[in-house]
C-alpha cells in the first residue's frame, strides 16, 4: 500500500484554541457585524481567527502571516478551502479597515458579552484598571476621530509614544469590557467615562441588575462616585492617603483598642498575609461611604524599605550628635543645663529612646610646656552632655504596623443580594484586583503582543482590540482547565511539576510537540494522523474541555 507523507505540521495547542474559539461563537458574531465582501476570498472572521492564533502562538508582524499560513494546517485551523496566499498583508489590512468601519469597539464588546453568557459567568463584581503600551513609527490618520497615539510618561516614568488599554473583568481575569484609548488619557477621566459605557453595554444586553465596580485609588473622585450611582453600581476603591477622610480614619484607628478590631484572618489558603480590619463611616462629596481600615501582616515592600532607611539614618544622626557633644565640654553647669534643655526640645527620634544628662568631670588643667617636678597639677571641672541611645523596639513595631495599614472606601451596603458584605468580604473583593493586573502582564508580554507594525492609527486600534479578544480566549481556556484540576488530582506539568492552578502557558507547554501528519492514500484521499499518540495528561485536558483527538485529525 503506497501511502505518501504530504506535510507535517507542528500543531501544538493551536487546534485547541481554534476549537474553543469556534465553540464560543465569535466567528459567527463577527460575520454578522462585519458583512462578508463578495469580492473577497476570505471572511473577516477568517482573518481574525488567524491573527488570534498568531497572537497566542508567539506573535509576529502581520507582514509575515502569509508565510506562517503556509506552515500551519490552515484547512483544519480556520476552515477548508482556504489558501495561504489569500492572507497577504494587503488583504489583512483591508480586513482591519473593515473591522474599524464596523465599529471595532462594538464588535469586541458583543463578543465579550456573548462569551460571558456562553460560560455562564456572574455579572456582579468587576475589576477595572488601565495600562499603556509602547508603539513605534509615524502614523498617518485617515480619520479625525482615530486613536491618538501620543508621547507621554508611562507607569515607569519613561517618555515614550504610547496607546492605552482599559480593562474591566471578573476575578478569573476574563474581560467583560475593554477599550483601546489615547495614550495620555488619565485614569481619573477614564473611570467615570467607562462606567457610563459599561452601563449602556449592560442595558443593551438587557441586564439591569446592580453590580460592583472595583478600581484603584484614581477612582476616588466626585465624578466617579456620581457616575457609579447613575450606572446602578457600587464602588470599592483604595482611599488616597492624602484624602482628609482617609487621614481621619487612620488617626481614629490608631487609638482604637484591640477588641475594636476584627480577629486576624487570612484570605489565602496557605502562606498568605494575615489581616485585621476596623470600620467607620463618613461622607465624601455628598456621598455616604464606608471606610475600612485594613492592617496587613505583610508590609508593603516599598514602605518597608522606606522605614528601614529612616531607622538607619536616625541612628547615624544620633551617633553623630552624641560624638559632637562629647567633644565639646562646658565650663559651667548653667551653660550645660541650657544646652541640655535645647537638645531635648530638638530631639524627636521615632525609633530610639534617648536619655540625655549633664555629667560633671574633673580633670587636670592643661598647661603649656612640661610641668615642674614635684608640683601638683591644677585641676578643672567641666560639664559634658551624655547621650544614652537605645533602639525602641515597641515604637519600631508600631511604625511598621501603621505603615501596613490602608483604607478601603466603598459604597456597597452591608447587606446586598442576600449576602453579608462585611469588611472582610469587601477586602476579599478588592484583593481580586490582581486579576486585571495579571491581564496587563499578558498585554505587555512580547510572546503575545510584540511590536505593532501597521501604518494607520485605525489599524493600531483594531489590533489592540484583537489583543483583548485573544486575552479573553486565553483566560476562558485557563478557567475551563482549572475547573477540573484539583489538589487531589493535580496536572503533571513540564519537568514533572504538580500543578493545581496551572496557567494557560503551562498548559500550552504540554502540547508543544504535538505533530499532525498529512497522508496521501493510494486512492488520492488526504488523511490526517497524529505523529505519535497523545499522552495521558494531554488526553485528560482534552477530555476535560469536552474535546478529543478529532480536533487534530
Amino acid at each position: 500500500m503506497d501511502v505518501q507523507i504530504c506535510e507535517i505540521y507542528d500543531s501544538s495547542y493551536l487546534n485547541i484554541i481554534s476549537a474553543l474559539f469556534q465553540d464560543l461563537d465569535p466567528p459567527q458574531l463577527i460575520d454578522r457585524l462585519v458583512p462578508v465582501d463578495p469580492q473577497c476570498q476570505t471572511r473577516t472572521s477568517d482573518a481574525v481567527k488567524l491573527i488570534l492564533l498568531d497572537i497566542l502562538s508567539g506573535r509576529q508582524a502581520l507582514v509575515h502571516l502569509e508565510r506562517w499560513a503556509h506552515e500551519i494546517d490552515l484547512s483544519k485551523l480556520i476552515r477548508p478551502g482556504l489558501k495561504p496566499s489569500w492572507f497577504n498583508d494587503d488583504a489583512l489590512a483591508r480586513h482591519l479597515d473593515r473591522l474599524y468601519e464596523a465599529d471595532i469597539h462594538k464588535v469586541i464588546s458583543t463578543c465579550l458579552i456573548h462569551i460571558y453568557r456562553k460560560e455562564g459567568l456572574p455579572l456582579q463584581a468587576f475589576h477595572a484598571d488601565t495600562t499603556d503600551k509602547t508603539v513605534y513609527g509615524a502614523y498617518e490618520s485617515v480619520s479625525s476621530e482615530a486613536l491618538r497615539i501620543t508621547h507621554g510618561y508611562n507607569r515607569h516614568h519613561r517618555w515614550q509614544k504610547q496607546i492605552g488599554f482599559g480593562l474591566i473583568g471578573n476575578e478569573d481575569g476574563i474581560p467583560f469590557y475593554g477599550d483601546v484609548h489615547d495614550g495620555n488619557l488619565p485614569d481619573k477621566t477614564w473611570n467615570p467615562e467607562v462606567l457610563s459605557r459599561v452601563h449602556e453595554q449592560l442595558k443593551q444586553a438587557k441586564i439591569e441588575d446592580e453590580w460592583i465596580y472595583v478600581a484603584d485609588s484614581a477612582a476616588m473622585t466626585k465624578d466617579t462616585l456620581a457616575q457609579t450611582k447613575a450606572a446602578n453600581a457600587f464602588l470599592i476603591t483604595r482611599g488616597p492617603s492624602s484624602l482628609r477622610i482617609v487621614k481621619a480614619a487612620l488617626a481614629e484607628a490608631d487609638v482604637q483598642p484591640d477588641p475594636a478590631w476584627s480577629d486576624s484572618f487570612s484570605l489565602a489558603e496557605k502562606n498568605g498575609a494575615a489581616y485585621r480590619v476596623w470600620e467607620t463611616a463618613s461622607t465624601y462629596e455628598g456621598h455616604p461611604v464606608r471606610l475600612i481600615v485594613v492592617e496587613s501582616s505583610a508590609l508593603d515592600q516599598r514602605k518597608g524599605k522606606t522605614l528601614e532607611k529612616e531607622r538607619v539614618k536616625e541612628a547615624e544622626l544620633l551617633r553623630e550628635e552624641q560624638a559632637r557633644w562629647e567633644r565639646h565640654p562646658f565650663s559651667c553647669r548653667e551653660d550645660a543645663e541650657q544646652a541640655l534643655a535645647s537638645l531635648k526640645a530638638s530631639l524627636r527620634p521615632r525609633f530610639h529612646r534617648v536619655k540625655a544628662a549633664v555629667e560633671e568631670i574633673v580633670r587636670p588643667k592643661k598647661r603649656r610646656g612640661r610641668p615642674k617636678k614635684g608640683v601638683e597639677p591644677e585641676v578643672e571641672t567641666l560639664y559634658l552632655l551624655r547621650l544614652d541611645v537605645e533602639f525602641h523596639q515597641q515604637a519600631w513595631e508600631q511604625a511598621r504596623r501603621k505603615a501596613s495599614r490602608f483604607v478601603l472606601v466603598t459604597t456597597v451596603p452591608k447587606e446586598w443580594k442576600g449576602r453579608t458584605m462585611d469588611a472582610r468580604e469587601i477586602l476579599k473583593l478588592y484583593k481580586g484586583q490582581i486579576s486585571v493586573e495579571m491581564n496587563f502582564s499578558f498585554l505587555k508580554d512580547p510572546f503575545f503582543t510584540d511590536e505593532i507594525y501597521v501604518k494607520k492609527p485605525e489599524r493600531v486600534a483594531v489590533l489592540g482590540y484583537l489583543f483583548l479578544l485573544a486575552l479573553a480566549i486565553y483566560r476562558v481556556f485557563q478557567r475551563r482547565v482549572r475547573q477540573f484540576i484539583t489538589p487531589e488530582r493535580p496536572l503533571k506539568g513540564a519537568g514533572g511539576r504538580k500543578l493545581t492552578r496551572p496557567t494557560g502557558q503551562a498548559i500550552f507547554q504540554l502540547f508543544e510537540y504535538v505533530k499532525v501528519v498529512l497522508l496521501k492514500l493510494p486512492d488520492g484521499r488526504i488523511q490526517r494522523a497524529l505523529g505519535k499518540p497523545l499522552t495521558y495528561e494531554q488526553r485528560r485536558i482534552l477530555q476535560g474541555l469536552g474535546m478529543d483527538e478529532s480536533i487534530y485529525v
Side-chain angles (χ1 to χ4, degrees):
M1 183 172 172
D2 187 17
V3 178
Q4 296 179 353
I5 297 176
C6 299
E7 200 77 56
I8 299 176
Y9 295 116
D10 291 323
S11 294
S12 63
Y13 52 85
L14 291 181
N15 295 62
I16 302 175
I17 298 300
S18 174
L20 178 61
F21 186 61
Q22 203 69 33
D23 179 58
L24 291 172
D25 298 332
Q28 295 87 328
L29 292 171
I30 291 169
D31 285 337
R32 178 166 58 83
L33 295 168
V34 188
V36 177
D37 187 337
Q39 295 183 333
C40 190
Q41 295 167 309
T42 56
R43 305 169 188 163
T44 299
S45 62
D46 298 333
V48 168
K49 195 171 185 180
L50 182 65
I51 292 171
L52 292 184
L53 291 173
D54 174 49
I55 291 170
L56 293 172
S57 64
R59 186 174 171 270
Q60 51 195 321
L62 296 184
V63 70
H64 300 308
L65 274 194
E66 182 184 354
R67 184 185 64 193
W68 185 63
H70 281 88
E71 300 171 0
I72 62 175
D73 193 354
L74 199 63
S75 296
K76 190 70 175 174
L77 291 173
I78 312 294
R79 62 183 175 90
L82 294 176
K83 297 180 180 179
S85 60
W86 295 352
F87 293 99
N88 58 66
D89 54 333
D90 288 333
L92 290 173
R94 284 193 293 271
H95 282 305
L96 294 183
D97 292 339
R98 287 192 188 98
L99 281 164
Y100 186 82
E101 291 163 6
D103 189 350
I104 181 61
H105 179 78
K106 180 183 176 183
V107 172
I108 300 303
S109 294
T110 303
C111 291
L112 295 179
I113 291 172
H114 188 80
I115 287 171
Y116 261 72
R117 283 179 165 163
K118 186 88 175 179
E119 293 296 292
L121 300 172
L123 298 165
Q124 292 189 344
F126 292 113
H127 301 271
D129 206 351
T130 66
T131 191
D132 48 63
K133 181 168 180 62
T134 305
V135 294
Y136 301 95
Y139 297 95
E140 299 175 3
S141 177
V142 297
S143 167
S144 59
E145 298 178 357
L147 176 71
R148 286 196 305 128
I149 301 171
T150 57
H151 279 91
Y153 287 101
N154 68 1
R155 263 65 175 174
H156 303 290
H157 306 289
R158 292 175 186 153
W159 183 252
Q160 62 180 23
K161 186 179 285 190
Q162 61 189 17
I163 60 174
F165 283 106
L167 271 181
I168 296 178
N170 69 354
E171 62 181 5
D172 290 312
I174 301 173
F176 176 74
Y177 170 94
D179 63 37
V180 182
H181 53 252
D182 297 346
N184 281 339
L185 183 68
D187 285 2
K188 289 185 178 181
T189 303
W190 181 81
N191 276 296
E193 288 180 359
V194 80
L195 275 161
S196 176
R197 290 183 200 143
V198 173
H199 188 216
E200 286 301 317
Q201 192 167 308
L202 288 167
K203 284 200 298 186
Q204 289 172 11
K206 297 181 180 178
I207 301 167
E208 299 287 347
D209 209 1
E210 293 178 336
W211 54 290
I212 295 174
Y213 183 75
V214 187
D216 63 12
S217 58
M220 193 59 197
T221 66
K222 180 181 178 180
D223 289 343
T224 303
L225 281 166
Q227 193 56 55
T228 303
K229 189 174 181 180
N232 200 27
F234 298 102
L235 176 68
I236 298 176
T237 186
R238 183 163 176 164
S241 56
S242 58
L243 215 59
R244 187 180 299 172
I245 59 171
V246 171
K247 290 179 180 178
L250 288 170
E252 196 175 346
D254 283 344
V255 298
Q256 295 300 316
D258 276 349
W261 290 78
S262 72
D263 293 333
S264 182
F265 62 90
S266 178
L267 298 177
E269 293 179 3
K270 59 180 181 179
N271 301 327
Y275 299 97
R276 293 196 312 158
V277 291
W278 175 81
E279 184 176 339
T280 185
S282 185
T283 58
Y284 181 72
E285 299 290 353
H287 297 272
V289 293
R290 295 165 60 190
L291 300 170
I292 298 167
V293 181
V294 182
E295 182 180 291
S296 170
S297 64
L299 183 64
D300 179 88
Q301 190 175 11
R302 186 172 54 185
K303 288 183 178 178
K305 286 182 178 178
T306 301
L307 274 181
E308 182 62 24
K309 283 181 182 177
E310 285 184 24
R311 185 192 67 78
V312 171
K313 186 176 180 180
E314 184 178 276
E316 289 176 355
L317 288 174
L318 288 173
R319 280 196 296 270
E320 290 173 5
E321 195 77 6
Q322 191 174 24
R324 182 168 74 88
W325 287 110
E326 289 181 359
R327 284 197 305 267
H328 299 88
F330 292 88
S331 299
C332 71
R333 179 177 286 275
E334 186 178 336
D335 289 346
E337 295 285 358
Q338 206 169 18
L340 177 64
S342 177
L343 178 63
K344 285 181 176 179
S346 63
L347 283 180
R348 297 180 183 274
R350 288 185 68 191
F351 311 121
H352 296 82
R353 287 193 184 98
V354 179
K355 293 179 181 178
V358 175
E359 182 180 320
E360 182 181 303
I361 59 170
V362 178
R363 68 180 186 185
K365 194 172 184 179
K366 291 183 179 179
R367 293 281 186 184
R368 198 178 282 179
R370 181 179 295 179
K372 293 181 179 180
K373 198 172 184 179
V375 176
E376 289 188 12
E378 282 187 69
V379 295
E380 62 179 350
T381 302
L382 298 174
Y383 303 90
L384 286 175
L385 295 188
R386 292 286 188 190
L387 274 65
D388 183 17
V389 179
E390 178 188 359
F391 179 59
H392 194 343
Q393 185 68 36
Q394 187 178 354
W396 171 249
E397 293 297 334
Q398 187 177 7
R400 285 178 60 85
R401 192 163 56 248
K402 282 185 179 181
S404 68
R405 290 176 183 171
F406 59 92
V407 178
L408 296 181
V409 183
T410 182
T411 58
V412 178
K414 292 189 176 182
E415 290 288 334
W416 184 64
K417 294 188 176 182
R419 291 168 58 190
T420 301
M421 303 300 289
D422 56 12
R424 177 172 179 166
E425 190 65 25
I426 297 297
L427 175 62
K428 184 178 179 182
L429 280 172
Y430 178 75
K431 283 294 178 180
Q433 193 72 355
I434 185 75
S435 63
V436 74
E437 292 167 4
M438 292 296 291
N439 282 341
F440 292 154
S441 66
F442 176 98
L443 292 173
K444 294 191 174 188
D445 189 337
F447 180 84
F448 297 119
T449 60
D450 204 356
E451 305 306 343
I452 299 172
Y453 300 105
V454 287
K455 292 182 179 178
K456 299 189 294 187
E458 291 83 356
R459 293 174 187 170
V460 173
V462 173
L463 202 52
Y465 275 102
L466 294 183
F467 289 160
L468 297 179
L469 184 56
L471 169 64
I473 303 300
Y474 177 83
R475 291 299 183 205
V476 168
F477 166 73
Q478 180 177 274
R479 177 181 178 273
R480 284 192 180 186
V481 174
R482 284 181 174 181
Q483 285 179 320
F484 59 85
I485 301 299
T486 64
E488 294 74 28
R489 293 194 63 205
L491 188 67
K492 191 174 181 181
R497 293 180 301 138
K498 290 183 179 180
L499 307 172
T500 56
R501 284 183 59 80
T503 63
Q505 282 182 297
I507 304 163
F508 288 167
Q509 286 179 350
L510 295 175
F511 291 85
E512 191 171 352
Y513 300 108
V514 175
K515 296 182 184 295
V516 172
V517 182
L518 253 64
L519 302 172
K520 187 175 182 180
L521 304 180
D523 58 5
R525 289 183 297 116
I526 300 295
Q527 183 174 317
R528 288 175 175 79
L530 287 168
K532 62 179 181 179
L534 297 176
T535 66
Y536 167 76
E537 295 294 353
Q538 289 169 341
R539 284 185 281 107
R540 182 187 171 197
I541 290 170
L542 290 180
Q543 185 178 4
L545 292 170
M547 304 175 188
D548 55 38
E549 65 180 36
S550 64
I551 64 170
Y552 288 100
V553 299

